[in-house]
Amino acid sequence: MTITAANDINSLMNVSSEAIQKSLTSMLGGTTEANEESFDSILNAAISNINETNNYISDYENEELKYAMGISENTHDLTIAAQKAETALQYTLAVRDKLLTAYNEIMSMQI
């Protein structure tokens, strides 16, 4: 491992993902217990990410309905909800694409 890899991970500390923080701990000399739990933490983080994305999309749909029915005339809230939903969906799709790429690489390895 190089120092730049640790610095790249350090720049992600503002991300609230437990998987990223656990991977930083394991890269910097964490225990083997953290390594054994890494798949579980990654899976839980992925599920949490999907749930959070669904919440943002639901919030956007609620704001859209309020605006369409005339309950809310605030386009600012609608725009913010739309942007949050779009950003969360793009992040989720990027994570999915990386996981599929990693899976395909693992499956193409010869034993």
Side-chain angles (χ1 to χ4, degrees):
M1 180 187 77
T2 63
I3 299 297
T4 57
N7 289 337
D8 290 342
I9 298 282
N10 280 332
S11 67
L12 296 175
M13 288 304 288
N14 292 332
V15 177
S16 63
S17 172
E18 291 177 19
I20 291 173
Q21 293 182 5
K22 282 191 175 187
S23 68
L24 175 62
T25 303
S26 66
M27 284 178 62
L28 297 177
T31 63
T32 58
E33 182 178 308
N35 292 336
E36 292 172 2
E37 295 178 4
S38 64
F39 178 76
D40 184 43
S41 66
I42 290 172
L43 181 62
N44 288 334
I47 291 170
S48 173
N49 184 19
I50 291 169
N51 289 334
E52 188 175 336
T53 300
N54 286 337
N55 290 338
Y56 282 134
I57 291 171
S58 178
D59 290 344
Y60 167 65
E61 290 172 350
N62 290 338
E63 287 294 327
E64 191 175 37
L65 286 174
K66 286 180 191 177
Y67 185 75
M69 294 186 335
I71 296 172
S72 172
E73 295 180 8
N74 190 353
T75 58
H76 183 69
D77 290 341
L78 178 64
T79 306
I80 289 173
Q83 189 62 43
K84 282 182 179 180
E86 182 181 347
T87 303
L89 187 60
Q90 287 176 353
Y91 178 74
T92 303
L93 291 176
V95 170
R96 181 206 61 184
D97 291 344
K98 290 292 184 179
L99 286 173
L100 286 175
T101 302
Y103 174 77
N104 287 333
E105 285 183 26
I106 290 170
M107 293 305 291
S108 67
M109 288 182 186
Q110 294 185 4
I111 300 175

